[in-house]
């Protein structure tokens, strides 16, 4: 905020918060001297903004009682920030209704901007491009999102109508511990009456929400973002993968995209695999019930993830750049060998000779 106009608008913003502000306080907030503050006040008065001065020990400046500012006053930087935020939110899929809401909001902001600034922003939005494809907006109502946010803040239970990924509808009561945004989706995480456990729900699958009487307490140390990521990593998929990777949980986890895998330290000595579970009604492939040897010593971690397809996992393992052992499924070994053959063939092939 270097230009006088920006500081004059900042002064107006401070005064709109209400109360009387001393000249010394305003000088500190605006990073100017008191004489300059008085000059800025004169600018506001010249614009017919009713700034009142109060003399004495507790004197200063305030706006006249009952005065209301026009709906919107933005500096160039603020207008740019708002419009770019709207565009980025739409492309990321975070707009809670549709592109119409974003376009309507942008049009309202555009109408109140000075003509020269408006033209410059129009050119920016027309010429700017993005390296990632636009993500379709979620279809949940804004009212559901805002209701859940308020319920989480006030710690009030919420009755929701929810549709699972396989199309089953159910009603349940949720204690919303927190609202989280991840990969263009909104999630609410909290205690679920149907299962008695902490669950994660996608907001675009919540059809209705009603705040209920009562209250709840959030468990000490609960981290909503961490819980959402771990919950997403546990969602059942076509394939379940288990690996042993050399390194600490922090080192390996930092190389994995958030939300796709769980990483656990392996204690020294032999360990035993969990019992066979059901996945989508089908028994999982047989797994070794006990594994021992040097690879089970401390310093290795177990990585588990789920995937609809195995073809992309070898590239992820190459990106880890650490020794690893595939525990299951065996089909993943074939994909790793195939990637190794392709990389070797590319590395051994002679480069094309360009004409001089």
């Amino acid at each position: 905020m270097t230009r006088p106009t920006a500081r004059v608008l900042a002064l107006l913003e401070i005064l709109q918060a209400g109360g009387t502000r001393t000249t010394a306080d305003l000088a500190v907030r605006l990073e100017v001297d008191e004489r300059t503050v008085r000059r800025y006040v004169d600018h506001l008065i010249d614009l017919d903004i009713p700034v009142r001065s109060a003399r004495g020990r507790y004197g200063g400046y305030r706006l006249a009682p009952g005065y209301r500012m026009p709906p919107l006053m933005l500096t160039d930087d603020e207008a740019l920030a708002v419009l770019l935020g709207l565009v980025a939110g739409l492309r990321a899929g975070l707009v809670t209704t549709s592109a119409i809401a974003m376009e309507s909001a942008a049009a309202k902001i555009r109408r109140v901007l000075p003509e020269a600034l408006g033209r410059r922003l129009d050119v920016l939005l027309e010429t700017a491009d993005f390296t990632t494809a636009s993500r379709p907006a979620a279809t949940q109502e804004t009212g559901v999102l805002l209701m859940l946010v308020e319920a989480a803040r006030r710690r009030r239970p919420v009755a929701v109508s929810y549709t699972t990924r396989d199309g089953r509808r159910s009603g349940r009561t949720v204690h919303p511990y927190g609202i989280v945004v991840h990969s263009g989706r909104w999630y609410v995480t909290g205690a679920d009456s149907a299962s008695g456990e902490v669950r994660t729900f996608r907001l675009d699958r919540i059809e209705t929400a009603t705040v209920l009487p009562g209250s709840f307490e959030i468990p000490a140390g609960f981290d909503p973002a961490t819980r959402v990521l771990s919950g997403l990593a546990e969602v059942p998929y076509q394939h379940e993968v288990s690996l042993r990777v050399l390194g600490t949980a922090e080192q390996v986890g930092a190389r994995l995209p958030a939300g796709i895998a769980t990483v656990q330290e392996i204690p020294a000595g032999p360990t035993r695999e969990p019992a066979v579970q059901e996945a989508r009604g089908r028994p999982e492939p047989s797994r070794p019930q006990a594994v021992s040897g040097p690879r089970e010593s401390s310093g290795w971690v177990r990585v588990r993830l789920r995937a609809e397809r195995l073809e992309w996992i070898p590239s992820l393992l190459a990106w880890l750049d650490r020794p690893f052992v595939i525990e299951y499924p065996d089909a993943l070994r074939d994909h790793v060998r195939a990637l190794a053959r392709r990389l070797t063939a590319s590395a051994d092939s002679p480069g094309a000779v360009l004409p001089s």
Side-chain angles (χ1 to χ4, degrees):
M1 188 185 300
T2 58
R3 292 175 297 172
T5 301
R7 287 199 172 94
V8 170
L9 292 176
L11 170 61
L12 179 57
E13 186 71 22
I14 295 171
L15 295 178
Q16 284 188 99
T20 299
R21 304 285 181 169
T22 66
T23 306
D25 175 48
L26 292 172
V28 172
R29 296 281 299 275
L30 298 173
E31 300 179 353
V32 297
D33 56 38
E34 295 185 11
R35 181 179 178 181
T36 304
V37 170
R38 287 189 284 270
R39 188 168 70 250
Y40 290 166
V41 170
D42 290 339
H43 288 330
L44 293 178
I45 294 174
D46 290 341
L47 294 171
D48 293 327
I49 296 174
V51 180
R52 301 290 184 258
S53 60
R55 301 184 181 278
R57 180 180 179 183
Y58 300 103
Y61 297 99
R62 61 179 175 80
L63 289 180
Y67 177 75
R68 294 292 182 269
M69 283 297 300
L72 190 65
M73 292 185 68
L74 297 175
T75 65
D76 292 9
D77 290 343
E78 291 169 343
L80 177 61
V82 171
L83 285 178
L84 291 183
L86 288 171
V87 173
L90 177 65
R91 294 187 64 87
L94 299 181
V95 177
T96 57
T97 51
S98 67
I100 297 176
M102 175 271 186
E103 293 170 357
S104 175
K108 291 177 181 178
I109 295 174
R110 175 66 179 83
R111 283 197 298 269
V112 300
L113 295 177
E115 183 177 356
L117 174 60
R119 286 198 304 266
R120 292 166 64 188
L121 291 180
D122 286 342
V123 171
L124 171 63
L125 296 179
E126 290 171 2
T127 58
D129 207 347
F130 295 81
T131 58
T132 57
S134 179
R135 180 164 188 160
T139 58
Q140 76 270 11
E141 292 292 333
T142 302
V144 172
L145 172 61
L146 298 181
M147 180 181 297
L148 287 168
V149 169
E150 181 66 14
R153 186 183 70 85
R154 298 172 58 193
R155 300 187 180 182
R156 297 281 299 276
V158 180
V160 301
S161 175
Y162 190 74
T163 302
T164 61
R165 60 180 294 174
D166 57 4
R168 291 182 292 109
R169 296 183 178 182
S170 64
R172 59 190 72 203
T173 299
V174 177
H175 292 175
Y177 293 165
I179 308 295
V180 178
V181 179
H182 174 66
S183 294
R185 298 290 185 187
W186 293 89
Y187 297 88
V188 57
T189 182
D192 170 33
S193 64
S195 64
E197 301 175 349
V198 175
R199 297 284 303 279
T200 295
F201 303 95
R202 266 176 48 176
L203 261 68
D204 59 313
R205 292 178 179 163
I206 297 177
E207 298 179 7
T208 61
T210 305
V211 178
L212 302 176
S215 62
F216 60 85
E217 294 296 326
I218 300 177
F222 184 83
D223 185 342
T226 299
R227 181 61 186 87
V228 167
L229 291 177
S230 62
L232 293 177
E234 295 168 359
V235 173
Y237 284 92
Q238 183 72 22
H239 301 282
E240 296 197 5
V241 178
S242 182
L243 310 158
R244 296 198 304 277
V245 182
L246 182 62
T248 66
E250 291 75 15
Q251 292 170 335
V252 175
R255 305 283 287 182
L256 294 171
I260 72 165
T262 59
V263 182
Q264 297 176 329
E265 299 280 359
I266 298 178
T271 60
R272 184 165 296 275
E273 292 293 328
V276 174
Q277 301 174 345
E278 295 288 324
R280 288 188 176 180
R282 301 185 304 276
E284 296 177 355
S286 59
R287 306 174 182 173
Q289 292 301 302
V291 181
S292 61
R295 292 189 180 92
E296 284 293 330
S297 62
S298 60
W300 289 72
V301 295
R302 176 163 284 113
V303 176
R304 287 198 173 95
L305 58 91
R306 292 167 168 80
E308 289 296 331
R309 300 174 63 88
L310 296 175
E311 289 86 343
W312 60 272
I313 297 180
S315 299
L316 178 66
L317 297 178
W319 166 248
L320 282 177
D321 194 25
R322 289 183 173 275
F324 65 88
V325 175
I326 298 173
E327 294 184 324
Y328 57 83
D330 288 337
L332 179 58
R333 306 178 195 279
D334 296 332
H335 290 289
V336 172
R337 295 187 186 101
L339 176 62
R341 287 194 296 269
R342 292 196 300 271
L343 293 176
T344 300
S346 298
D348 293 341
S349 62
V353 178
L354 300 177
S356 58

